[in-house]
Structure formats: structure tokens, C-alpha cells
Amino acid sequence: MKLKDILTIAQTELADLSTVENPDFRLEQAVFRPDEKIWEVVVSYLVENTNKPSKAFSALSPEFAFLRMYKKLEINEKNEVVSFLMFDNKA
């Protein structure tokens, strides 16, 4: 499977998770595990920032309109997403 195909599969699965007009999907990481015949991938995309700081703290921290979310997916040899996991890019 090509990396472009992996991104297309992930985009199709995750498209409904963002209300942003252009969620800017990105393939961040892809690892093939041959023993399980699974692609383990990390995809990021934009969502609206609904957790904005209160007015008291707004001068101290910038307000971003969007946040980048990271999700880990596992895709099998039939191009099916078999796992959808949280991913922390800070770990």
C-alpha cells in the first residue's frame, strides 16, 4: 500500500470528526507491522478551538481559531480501519 492510499483511507474515516471547511489532514507517521499485516498510522487534522481562555486570561495566552488533533489508526491488509486510538504527540 502506498502512503497516499493510507492518507486517503484515514481521511475517509476521520472526515466527520471536524467541522472545519479544510481540516488539512496530514499523515504524520506510518509503520507497517508485517507479523500482523497491519499499518499503524498517525494522522493529524484541524478542528475548531472551542476551549478558549476566559477573558481574564486572554491577554496572557493567544487565542487560536483551530487546534491540531492527532489520532492513531490501524489499517489491515483489506484497507479497513480496525483500530481508532487516542494519540498524544507530546509523549
Side-chain angles (χ1 to χ4, degrees), residues 14-91:
L14 301 174
D16 293 338
L17 297 180
S18 179
T19 58
V20 176
E21 186 176 323
N22 178 13
D24 187 29
F25 283 95
R26 297 178 185 179
L27 181 61
E28 303 288 349
Q29 176 178 311
V31 177
F32 182 67
R33 296 193 320 239
D35 54 324
E36 299 174 47
K37 297 181 181 174
I38 296 263
W39 279 94
E40 184 178 282
V41 300
V42 175
V43 176
S44 71
Y45 58 95
L46 296 175
V47 296
E48 289 182 59
N49 183 4
T50 58
N51 191 20
K52 296 183 180 177
S54 68
K55 293 194 187 279
F57 294 106
S58 63
L60 300 174
S61 63
E63 283 189 37
F64 296 107
F66 305 104
L67 295 174
R68 183 156 291 278
M69 301 298 294
Y70 294 82
K71 296 296 177 188
K72 181 177 170 181
L73 304 171
E74 293 179 334
I75 302 171
N76 67 14
E77 60 187 356
K78 297 177 186 175
N79 297 343
E80 301 168 325
V81 175
V82 294
S83 175
F84 174 74
L85 305 161
M86 302 276 293
F87 183 80
D88 182 5
N89 64 328
K90 294 171 180 61

